[in-house]
Amino acid sequence: MSSTLVWLRDDLRLDDNPALAEAAAAGSPLTVVYVLDEESPGVRPLGGAARWWLHHSLEALAADLTAAGSRLLLRRGPAGQVIRELAEETGADRLLWNRRYGGPERTIDAGLKEWAGGHGISAESFQASLMFEPWTVRTGSGGPYKVFTPFWRACLDAAEPRQPLEAPDRLPGPAKAGGGKLPASEVLAGWGLLPRRPDWSAGLAEEWTPGEAGAHARLEDFLDGPVSDYGTGRNIPGEEGTSRLSPHLRFGEISPFRVWQALRERFPHRAPADVGIFRSELGWREFCWQLLYENPELATRNYRPEFDRFGWRTPSDDELQAWHQGRTGYPLVDAGMRQLWQTGWMHNRVRMAAASFLVKNLLADWRSGEAWFWDTLVDADAASNPANWQWVAGSGADASPYFRIFNPVTQSKKFDPAGRYLRRFIPELAGLEDKAVHEPWKAAPEGYPEPLVGLPESRARALETYQRLKDG
Ligand code: FAD
């Protein structure tokens, strides 16, 4: 008897899941599996915050699959081998998945396709995580875009993203393994994804609801309010002006096609400019993935090779710790780093300021900041994280010019004038006047550190180092 194996990866959802929809339509007994792969060469192990997210997301997914008459099977090991064994165990004659775009992941998938071909198993992959697959967006000369604006224009000129597929009401029952038994599943709690001793996840649990239902609720909240003022609101860290969909998109709990469709439905006629700006942020996500697709080593290698000669300093342990813990003496940087530690997320404007402080004012190699974000962000993304760090460092594609150095004081005065955001995350500053909250060294509040480095001197040092690179 034939059976189907669906391998879920960064697509932990039932809605708009082409691989699952295909399995539902086929109707033959179905195995749905998630593989925790910490062994395949080159696959980047998840950071702590993402592991916490994954645990809860899998829990939600398992419940949703059960409600639809299926079940989620959990296995651990090198994914290629695990899937081959499971296909043999369940006698699968179809293997379905939604495509991934990272280098090591593509190698695994290509190997499986080849294996399947030699074993009479049909392996089919689908487009689900990106609206514009990297190889479809090409310049006139056939190469990849290196600059965002023409990339996004080319995307918008291409065919409209397809309509999302509805979640299947019912899925076929599970396939049996040898002896008529269901294939054995590992136990999620046994994977040790949740932090223990200490358990630092309380702030994350307060802020987030991992899983498909949580993702759709976030989208609705965003469409009901912030989207209409997104162009302005997205820059104000003290307000909920953005969608906070990033971890949901990262784990594929919501499809970008679904988000796109929701915008089409809310704004059926000409979409306001704010909606266009929000769409282009989704475009940045697509652009980052295109960069990773073309440059599989984006997290470890300068996109611009001349930066290999850049004179990064090795910051002292004290300096790095001050940055990690939000104790640099610069309120915007510190509020951001504390928001990150407490909630697993940081506002985009503050990410730029905090990252700029590390790579420019402390002159640390962007890779050390990228690694910290990788470990602490719930939305830590294999493409967006390194691409944005390289953007800030000036070593990336379409990067912010190196000489543009964010001034954390000017930035907080402009985007958080009343210090709402600053006070929320830095209680030591709660009693200061609005003006003093941006430059607390003038008031010397108790318990808050002096600035780690002077802004003018560290800025000059960064510019000199950059000049040396340019002079060769
Ligand atoms: P919204 O403003 O509501 O935007 C909607 C969606 O668009 C986001 O959910 C995200 O998927 C996408 N998006 C928005 N801005 C960007 C961007 N600059 N690059 C790529 N996609 C974008 N984003 C991640 O998803 N994962 C990361 O690991 C990550 N690391 C970053 C590191 C640095 C140093 C910087 C400066 C930015 C990073 N970003 C990352 C991009 C951005 O900060 C977040 O996507 C955004 O803050 C998420 O909040 P939101 O969902 O409310 O965004």
Side-chain angles (χ1 to χ4, degrees):
M1 176 147 162
S2 67
S3 87
T4 305
L5 175 55
V6 170
W7 176 21
L8 295 182
R9 301 94 72 88
D10 291 331
D11 49 354
L12 306 180
R13 62 174 183 266
L14 274 67
D15 180 52
D16 193 42
N17 189 321
L20 269 184
E22 176 63 30
S28 47
L30 172 64
T31 307
V32 184
V33 66
Y34 181 86
V35 182
L36 181 65
D37 184 355
E38 297 177 302
E39 293 170 52
S40 293
V43 171
R44 194 173 184 185
L46 295 183
R51 286 167 73 85
W52 174 88
W53 189 285
L54 176 65
H55 177 101
H56 294 291
S57 189
L58 289 174
E59 233 170 28
L61 176 68
D64 292 345
L65 284 171
T66 303
S70 183
R71 80 196 264 261
L72 179 64
L73 192 73
L74 301 175
R75 292 273 167 106
R76 185 165 33 168
Q81 186 188 324
V82 171
I83 295 297
R84 286 196 300 275
E85 286 170 4
L86 187 60
E88 281 170 353
E89 202 180 320
T90 57
D93 59 0
R94 284 185 91 189
L95 181 51
L96 311 177
W97 64 68
N98 297 312
R99 285 194 278 279
R100 307 185 284 188
Y101 305 91
E105 290 80 9
R106 278 160 49 213
T107 304
I108 296 170
D109 295 356
L112 265 175
K113 268 206 171 164
E114 202 181 314
W115 171 84
H119 287 75
I121 298 173
S122 107
E124 294 153 66
S125 67
F126 302 86
Q127 177 183 5
S129 304
L130 293 179
M131 295 179 288
F132 304 94
E133 291 190 299
W135 54 89
T136 65
V137 189
R138 294 280 147 180
T139 63
S141 54
Y145 283 95
K146 296 179 175 169
V147 178
F148 173 73
T149 305
F151 166 84
W152 191 232
R153 202 177 305 124
C155 291
L156 293 177
D157 286 348
E160 262 284 301
R162 64 163 170 74
Q163 297 270 336
L165 308 168
E166 294 303 321
D169 290 334
R170 295 298 296 166
L171 285 165
K176 305 263 166 60
K181 286 204 195 121
L182 291 177
S185 176
E186 294 191 27
V187 178
L188 184 58
W191 282 1
L193 297 173
L194 298 179
R196 305 225 181 284
R197 281 177 270 142
D199 175 3
W200 39 256
S201 65
L204 276 62
E206 228 168 81
E207 182 76 30
W208 302 102
T209 309
E212 202 166 351
H216 284 262
R218 279 276 189 217
L219 177 61
E220 286 307 309
D221 286 351
F222 179 64
L223 294 175
D224 287 345
V227 70
S228 305
D229 188 34
Y230 180 75
T232 310
R234 73 187 178 125
N235 279 314
I236 316 289
E239 283 172 18
E240 294 244 347
T242 67
S243 71
R244 303 207 182 202
L245 281 171
S246 52
H248 300 291
L249 283 163
R250 151 69 186 86
F251 285 94
E253 297 168 354
I254 193 161
S255 143
F257 293 95
R258 175 58 70 197
V259 178
W260 198 266
Q261 174 66 12
L263 292 168
R264 269 194 299 239
E265 283 169 8
R266 279 293 165 120
F267 304 97
H269 308 297
R270 232 182 118 72
D274 292 278
V275 174
I277 299 172
F278 178 70
R279 282 190 178 133
S280 76
E281 294 305 323
L282 296 174
W284 271 100
R285 176 176 172 272
E286 307 264 334
F287 183 60
C288 292
W289 274 100
Q290 187 237 221
L291 287 174
L292 184 72
Y293 177 80
E294 297 291 338
N295 307 275
E297 292 173 286
L298 196 64
T300 49
R301 263 205 197 164
N302 290 307
Y303 176 88
R304 291 170 195 261
E306 66 269 26
F307 269 78
D308 293 352
R309 292 184 284 108
F310 192 83
W312 306 111
R313 281 172 71 234
T314 306
S316 70
D317 289 349
D318 285 352
E319 283 174 321
L320 265 187
Q321 224 181 49
W323 185 74
H324 290 163
Q325 296 177 347
R327 299 191 56 76
T328 66
Y330 289 103
L332 189 65
V333 175
D334 292 346
M337 296 305 289
R338 295 184 194 192
Q339 179 178 34
L340 174 61
W341 187 250
Q342 285 168 29
T343 70
W345 185 87
M346 196 197 298
H347 190 276
N348 180 59
R349 179 143 293 279
V350 191
R351 289 188 203 205
M352 293 192 285
S356 171
F357 186 81
L358 183 76
V359 294
K360 298 190 176 168
N361 300 93
L362 296 182
L363 214 57
D365 190 321
W366 59 268
R367 280 162 280 227
S368 72
E370 197 273 345
W372 181 257
F373 271 32
W374 180 260
D375 198 27
T376 51
L377 277 171
V378 287
D379 63 24
D381 184 277
S384 297
N385 198 39
N388 277 283
W389 272 95
Q390 294 222 45
W391 181 87
V392 173
S395 63
D398 196 8
S400 161
Y402 189 85
F403 53 78
R404 193 170 302 151
I405 299 184
F406 279 79
N407 179 320
V409 177
T410 320
Q411 289 280 312
S412 67
K413 280 183 178 164
K414 186 161 173 201
F415 296 110
D416 188 34
R420 279 176 53 189
Y421 178 74
L422 302 183
R423 288 195 184 85
R424 187 185 315 156
F425 290 102
I426 315 180
E428 302 97 292
L429 304 184
L432 296 190
E433 309 247 315
D434 287 2
K435 213 164 160 229
V437 82
H438 303 280
E439 295 168 287
W441 52 91
K442 291 186 178 162
E446 207 170 317
Y448 189 67
E450 287 282 306
L452 192 60
V453 286
L455 290 181
E457 304 89 279
S458 58
R459 179 173 193 280
R461 180 176 65 181
L463 291 176
E464 272 164 35
T465 314
Y466 180 61
Q467 194 58 44
R468 278 205 297 279
L469 173 71
K470 267 182 61 188
D471 295 344

